[in-house]
Every structure is written in structure tokens, then in C-alpha cells.
Amino acid sequence: MTPEPPTVVRKRSWRDEHLERICGFANADGGVLEIGRDDRGDIVGVKGVLGLLEEIPSKARLLLGIAVAVELKTVSGREYIKISVEPHRNPISYRGRFHYRSGSAKRVIDGAALNRLMIARFGRGWDDVPGHGVGLKDLDGRSVDRFRRRAVRCERLAPKVLDESVEGLVENLDLREGAHLKRAATLLFHPSPHRLVRGAYVTIGCFQDSRLLFGDVVEGDLFTQVDRTMDLLYTKYSRGLISYDGIYRVETFPVPRAAMWEALINAVIHRDYAGDVPIRIRVRDDRIAIWNPARLTPEWSPDGLAGEQSSRLHNPRLAYAFFQAGMIETWGRGIRQMVDTCREVGNPTPTWTLDAGGEGLRVTFAFSEAYLAADADARGIAVPKTTAMTTQKTTQEATQETTATTQKVPVPAKTTAKIPASITTKTTAKTTAIATSARNYQETARKLPEWGDDSQDLADRIVAFLRRDPSASRRRIAEALPGTTEGSVRYQLDKLKSVNRLRRVGPDRGGRWVVLDGNGAASEMESKARRENRRVAEDDEPPENRQKPVATTRKPPETLPLPDRILAVLRQKPAASRRALATTLDTTESTIRYRLDKLRLEGRIKRIGPDRGGRWEVLPVPHAEEDPSQ
């Protein structure tokens, strides 16, 4: 008995429906159809051999448009027919349907699968095919400029690319064929690629059991999707434990940023854009899962993704652009780095799951038990269900004892209930290890500050703070309200403005916030209180000081715009770094980077020497900038 190989099909007699199998072999990797043999490989003979030797090639040519090799074989005096089918470059159809042989099964393909087959037959990827209806004028210049700056910053492209035209950049990235841009150009630089490629966006949802609590849809070019999704995941969807390393504020999130970055980049680059389904990210209390409409090649398996399998690019043009932007490597080590990063911080190894039919891949980041225990204790709730009941007392008592002595966090009464001795005596080595890990997580690695009143909503806490300090910046608000981040403060401020609870008066730098009564007007009680406080303060001042300006910690508004202040500092300190400039001018490092690139494009500054150890030269211009120090 000889088993039937995947590339061989055996039939006892000939029927015209066997042309479907010949079509499937032609669209796949070729194969052999044997007539006159049973499934076990035994020869049973075939009737009308001479007629079939002429009929089969003729029908294959007329109904399939291909030529097949038909041979008569004889073994031990018994005859059978062997039909050899070669793979064909062009897709082959039988009676209007495209059949495909995958492994030992045959199926009919259409839609996105047929589109992939037709593209693959010409040795191209989906992103390498020209699209119609998009020209150079439709690309977003801001997206192109951001790509240029990234590429120059990581030294993947020369600085001269900053002065290159959009057309030249597209040609260098091989994103155009003749008069048409390739699909990759649309995804990378069009402001709304989801309008041209259905499903080219990311959805994020926060779930509790099967219930969706809230969600977001992230659109825009692929670089924007990655940046915006990362920002949402770490400002709106994840709780970071706040600690302090000396005077520096440290946030510890349940999934390391580097690992999440690699997973998101992989999903964007390797997804199957021929389908109409977006990338879906589900956030739960104990895990984050990224579902990607990707298709693994036959030699790949979910279990082997975390090993040393080499990367096979599904969208090579997209991958090349992300490489030039410094966002990926060429060695395909992203998954390996993802695993190593999680292990280094003590998190569980990510897991990969392939959907039935191979139409989607899911990577899941489970939160560590130490994080879950520390997060639950810091918020004053019970230890998550994933921790055993016997762990609850051990973990909570250990963390509460440390908290009471070093952190002064109030312990809610519901977490101090005693567990019967019959239960606590059964604590296993595993529960002890979990308790120790949670205690060390807070005690040695992180020292949680006071969390304040958790019963008060963050938006209300921000409003209360702005009543006391209307000129406070986002950074000052985040530092004054433990348990928050600058990103979450930004989100809440925008939300409060949209519901008419806050109004911004004046510019971003030097302005102030006005708390409204919900109808767009400042509350009378607040206005009266401010007037009364100002009157009392004036009455309390001695007469000789009443005419003097009151000292304030807020800096007076600058008289020069930021670019001119940067030039003034660079004249005095040509070797100043971006971080030093940001500290001196009280702004962010990303803002300084943007302004420096813009000043260089305008020909107002020039870089001399490398990024490290070099210096800036301020070039002469028709007008002279005023030095703010004078």
C-alpha cells in the first residue's frame, strides 16, 4: 500500500469533473492525477485507454487552456494513466471558477484570495501593484516630511533628502510605476488611505467580559496609525503604576513599550490588505490582544514565530519604507526582541494564535501576576481572580505593611478582612512566590506615591486643580495629580472643552484656563471667590508692599517666537543638544527637533560635524534676530 502524497490524486476511473483537480494543480505548485488506481495505490486498470489518451489532452486544452502530459503506464501487466500538470503563471479557470490545490484539499477561490493569486503569479506583492486614482498631488506633504526627518535622524538616508521633491522621494522608494503610484504609496503617504483601501485602519476597544466599554478608530497614513495607536494604548487604555527614582517620575505599564511597538509594527506591515478587515486591538484587565488579518506561509507556524524563523515579507514595499524610517531592521528579529523584552521585565511570553482557516493571527500579551497584584493594591481593590484565594491575604498584608511604613497609602477597610487560618496554612510555594514578587514590585523596584481620592473622577480632579491654578500646564497638572500621565491629562482637557466645562483664554504658552458652569459661562461663585481672595490678599499686604508686583512662579510671556529664541541660544551655545534646548526654552524635545529641521530647511542654520560632538552654525539672514537676553 502506497499512501497518496499531497501532490498526487488517484481515481479509479475518468470523469470530466476531474478537470477541476487539474485546474487546482495548475493554479498551485503542480501535481499528478493518476487514473486507474485506488486510494491505497493498487492498480485496478482503466477502460477505454486509447480513447482517454486523446480525450484528456484535448479537453484540458479546450476547457482549461493548458497543455498536460498524459502517459500510459504498465505495472505487472495492468495499465493506468498518469496526467502530469505543471504550475502556470497565469491563473487558470474551469467553467468560470478558479480552483486551487492546497495540501491534500481542493477549494474554489475568489475575491481577495483570487486577487492574491493573480498578483503572486506575476511575482509581485499586493503593495507593489499600481493603484489608480491617486497622484503625487494627493499625497500628504506633512506625512512625507515626517518620513524624511525620521530617515535622516536614524541615518538611513542622507540629509539632502530633506530638500528633495516628493516626486524624487517616491522614485527612490520605488513607489511609482509609469504614471501610476503603487498601492504602498497610498498607504504610506495618503491622508485617508482607508477611503481607497477598505479596512486600512486600526480599531481599539476596552472590554469587560463581552461588553465593550469604549473604543477608538485610528485612521491616517500607516506611520500616523502606529504613532497614534501607541499614544492611545499608553495614555487612555493602560494604567501605569507611578513611582519615583529620586526626583524623577517613572511609569511602569503592564506591557513594555518596546514589545508593544514591535507587535504593532508587525501587524501593520504583514497584514493582508487585500481583505476588508481592519487590525483589531482588544484591551482587558489582564491582557492586551492584537488581531491582524494576516496569512502565514505554509512553512510558518504560530509556535515557531517566537523562535528563529526568518521573516518573509508579505508587503515588501511597506517594509522597505519602514526600514528607511528606522522603525524596523532587515534581519527580521522583531518577534525575537519582543519575546526577550517581556522576559527581561518579568512579563509572560507573548502567545500567537492562528484563526481557523489561517485568515488571521492574534498575539496576546498577558499581564504579570506581580503587576496585577500591585495595581489592585494601589487602587484599593481585591487581588485579581487569576491569583489564588490564599494569595490574597499574603499579598495584601505584605504590600499594606510596606505601604503603611514607607508610602502612607490609605488601606481600604474591605482589603483588611482576615482569612481563616485553615486556608492560610495551605499557602503553596507558588502563592508565596507571587506574594514576594508583588511585594518586591512595589518595595524595591517601585515606590508608589499617594494616589489621592480614587472616588473622585479624574476630570473633576483636574477641574478642581484648575480652579486653584488656572495657568497650570499639562505637565504641572500630571505631576500634581498622582496616578495620571500627561497624555491622560491632554485627553481629559479636550473632553472637558468639548462638553463646555473648560475654556482656554490666551495662547498655549502664557494663557490660562477658565472653569465654566456647563453652559459656557464662568460660575458666579467662582468669580466672586476670586474677587474676594484678591481683596483679602491686598488687605493683608503691608502698605509698603501693596503697589509692588506679587512674585509668581510662572514665567512672563516670551516676546520672541520660538524659532528666534532657538537661534539666540544657538549663537551662545552652538553645541547645545536638543534636550538642553528643550530644558532652556521650557518646551518639549520633539518640538525642538521639528523647529531645528524647519530652520535647516529655511537655510537659517547648518549642522557641522556628527550628531554627537558636532555643533550648529547660525547662518546670516537679511534681518537680525533680537536676542531675548538684551
Side-chain angles (χ1 to χ4, degrees):
M1 172 180 175
T2 305
E4 184 178 284
T7 57
V8 176
V9 174
R10 294 165 178 158
K11 297 297 177 182
R12 301 176 67 92
S13 61
W14 169 260
R15 296 179 182 177
D16 286 351
E17 65 185 37
H18 295 334
L19 289 171
E20 295 179 356
R21 293 172 173 81
I22 296 177
C23 176
F25 281 134
N27 285 327
D29 299 324
V32 174
L33 175 62
E34 296 177 342
I35 306 298
R37 302 184 71 171
D38 59 18
D39 294 340
R40 298 181 301 175
D42 297 334
I43 300 175
V44 298
V46 59
K47 297 180 180 180
V49 171
L50 296 180
L52 291 176
L53 291 177
E54 294 182 2
E55 179 185 349
I56 294 174
S58 177
K59 289 185 175 181
R61 185 172 57 256
L62 292 175
L63 298 177
L64 300 177
I66 63 175
V68 296
V70 181
E71 304 175 78
L72 179 62
K73 297 289 185 178
T74 303
V75 177
S76 301
R78 295 188 176 185
E79 297 176 333
Y80 71 94
I81 295 176
K82 179 181 179 181
I83 306 172
S84 300
V85 185
E86 296 293 331
H88 281 66
R89 180 174 182 180
N90 298 322
I92 307 300
S93 66
Y94 173 63
R95 300 189 185 279
R97 306 181 75 183
F98 292 85
H99 300 267
Y100 188 84
R101 180 79 177 183
S102 177
S104 59
K106 179 188 72 66
R107 59 189 178 95
V108 177
I109 58 175
D110 55 11
L114 178 60
N115 187 20
R116 287 190 295 268
L117 174 64
M118 297 181 70
I119 293 173
R121 280 293 175 264
F122 291 95
R124 309 180 70 168
W126 181 92
D127 62 337
D128 196 38
V129 176
H132 298 281
V134 179
L136 290 172
K137 61 180 177 60
D138 299 315
L139 302 184
D140 187 358
R142 294 172 298 179
S143 299
V144 176
D145 289 340
R146 285 195 296 269
F147 170 80
R148 286 192 181 112
R149 291 195 296 271
R150 272 177 160 153
V152 172
R153 188 163 61 248
C154 69
E155 299 183 351
R156 297 278 169 86
L157 293 178
K160 64 180 181 181
V161 75
L162 296 173
D163 302 321
E164 192 176 33
S165 64
V166 175
E167 182 179 6
L169 178 66
V170 168
E171 290 289 347
N172 289 338
L173 294 176
D174 195 14
L175 297 178
R176 187 167 71 169
E177 185 172 306
H180 301 286
L181 294 177
K182 296 181 179 179
R183 290 167 172 170
T186 301
L187 293 173
L188 292 169
F189 301 124
H190 194 278
S192 303
H194 63 280
R195 298 180 179 176
L196 305 168
V197 182
R198 290 185 298 178
Y201 57 92
V202 180
T203 61
I204 314 175
C206 182
F207 288 83
Q208 186 176 54
D209 297 328
S210 60
R211 185 163 53 99
L212 175 65
L213 302 181
F214 54 88
D216 286 280
V217 176
V218 183
E219 299 171 346
D221 63 85
L222 296 190
F223 298 115
T224 298
Q225 288 184 28
V226 173
D227 293 339
R228 178 62 177 154
T229 301
M230 285 293 295
D231 182 60
L232 284 172
L233 286 176
Y234 286 90
T235 59
K236 181 178 178 181
Y237 287 86
S238 297
R239 290 189 297 270
L241 297 180
I242 308 301
S243 62
Y244 289 90
D245 183 6
I247 62 172
Y248 297 100
R249 175 190 175 103
V250 180
E251 293 176 286
T252 303
F253 288 95
V255 179
R257 287 179 183 267
M260 183 63 69
W261 172 266
E262 292 288 351
L264 185 58
I265 291 288
N266 277 327
V268 168
I269 293 179
H270 294 293
R271 66 158 292 180
D272 182 11
Y273 287 95
D276 301 333
V277 185
I279 296 173
R280 296 192 177 114
I281 303 178
R282 291 174 176 261
V283 181
R284 298 184 182 274
D285 287 338
D286 60 347
R287 65 189 182 274
I288 297 177
I290 302 178
W291 182 86
N292 171 25
R295 297 177 60 85
L296 293 183
T297 54
E299 63 271 16
W300 277 15
S301 65
D303 294 336
L305 286 175
E308 296 297 332
Q309 287 182 337
S310 60
S311 176
R312 181 175 176 181
L313 299 176
H314 188 73
N315 299 297
R317 293 297 166 201
L318 297 181
Y320 181 70
F322 272 80
F323 166 75
Q324 293 288 15
M327 301 173 73
I328 63 172
E329 300 179 359
T330 56
W331 292 95
R333 296 182 60 251
I335 293 179
R336 182 73 260 170
Q337 291 179 350
M338 195 188 313
V339 173
D340 292 342
T341 300
C342 290
R343 287 176 177 171
E344 287 174 2
V345 300
N347 279 28
T349 301
T351 58
W352 285 264
T353 307
L354 188 63
D355 286 356
E359 298 293 335
L361 181 67
R362 178 179 289 100
V363 54
T364 303
F365 293 93
F367 300 169
S368 68
E369 292 178 320
Y371 172 86
L372 293 173
D375 177 56
D377 181 76
R379 294 189 293 133
I381 62 176
V383 177
K385 295 180 180 180
T386 55
T387 306
M389 183 177 181
T390 53
T391 308
Q392 182 173 357
K393 181 176 184 296
T394 308
T395 304
Q396 290 177 352
E397 286 183 350
T399 53
Q400 289 168 10
E401 181 180 356
T402 303
T403 302
T405 56
T406 62
Q407 301 165 24
K408 300 180 181 179
V409 180
V411 180
K414 64 179 181 180
T415 63
T416 59
K418 295 184 178 180
I419 307 298
S422 59
I423 296 179
T424 57
T425 55
K426 298 180 181 179
T427 303
T428 62
K430 179 179 178 180
T431 58
T432 303
I434 295 174
T436 304
S437 178
R439 184 171 61 251
N440 293 340
Y441 193 84
Q442 293 179 311
E443 190 175 45
T444 60
R446 298 286 181 259
K447 294 182 179 179
L448 294 176
E450 294 186 8
W451 286 80
D453 185 5
D454 288 336
S455 63
Q456 188 179 22
D457 184 75
L458 177 58
D460 296 332
R461 294 163 61 197
I462 292 176
V463 170
F465 183 81
L466 290 178
R467 291 182 190 275
R468 300 191 301 269
D469 188 358
S471 62
S473 63
R474 289 192 297 263
R475 181 180 300 177
R476 193 189 307 175
I477 296 173
E479 292 176 350
L481 303 178
T484 65
T485 64
E486 191 172 345
S488 61
V489 170
R490 182 192 304 113
Y491 170 77
Q492 293 293 343
L493 289 174
D494 292 340
K495 191 174 180 180
L496 288 168
K497 286 194 296 183
S498 66
V499 298
N500 228 18
R501 292 190 63 188
L502 286 179
R503 183 175 70 233
R504 185 68 180 178
V505 177
D508 289 344
R509 189 174 300 279
R512 60 184 176 87
W513 292 99
V514 176
V515 180
L516 307 177
D517 60 4
N519 297 319
S523 62
E524 180 62 26
M525 182 179 297
E526 180 187 358
S527 301
K528 182 178 180 180
R530 285 203 301 267
R531 291 194 297 269
E532 181 66 19
N533 291 339
R534 186 163 53 248
R535 184 188 62 78
V536 172
E538 291 175 353
D539 292 343
D540 290 341
E541 286 288 329
E544 62 272 14
N545 291 340
R546 289 183 184 178
Q547 302 301 323
K548 295 181 181 180
V550 180
T552 175
T553 58
R554 184 167 59 88
K555 295 182 179 179
E558 300 285 353
T559 59
L560 291 178
L562 180 58
D564 293 331
R565 287 185 278 137
I566 292 176
L567 293 174
V569 174
L570 291 180
R571 287 193 182 95
Q572 300 176 2
K573 300 178 180 179
S577 64
R578 289 192 296 264
R579 180 176 300 177
L581 289 171
T583 302
T584 303
L585 300 175
D586 192 21
T587 184
T588 63
E589 192 173 343
S590 59
T591 301
I592 293 295
R593 182 187 303 113
Y594 169 76
R595 290 298 181 181
L596 289 175
D597 291 340
K598 193 169 182 180
L599 288 170
R600 181 159 49 183
L601 286 173
E602 294 173 352
R604 302 182 69 180
I605 60 174
K606 181 175 67 175
R607 186 68 180 178
I608 299 177
D611 287 345
R612 290 184 178 276
R615 61 184 177 85
W616 293 99
E617 178 182 348
V618 180
L619 303 177
V621 291
H623 66 282
E625 293 79 3
E626 183 179 355
D627 193 331
S629 63
Q630 296 179 354

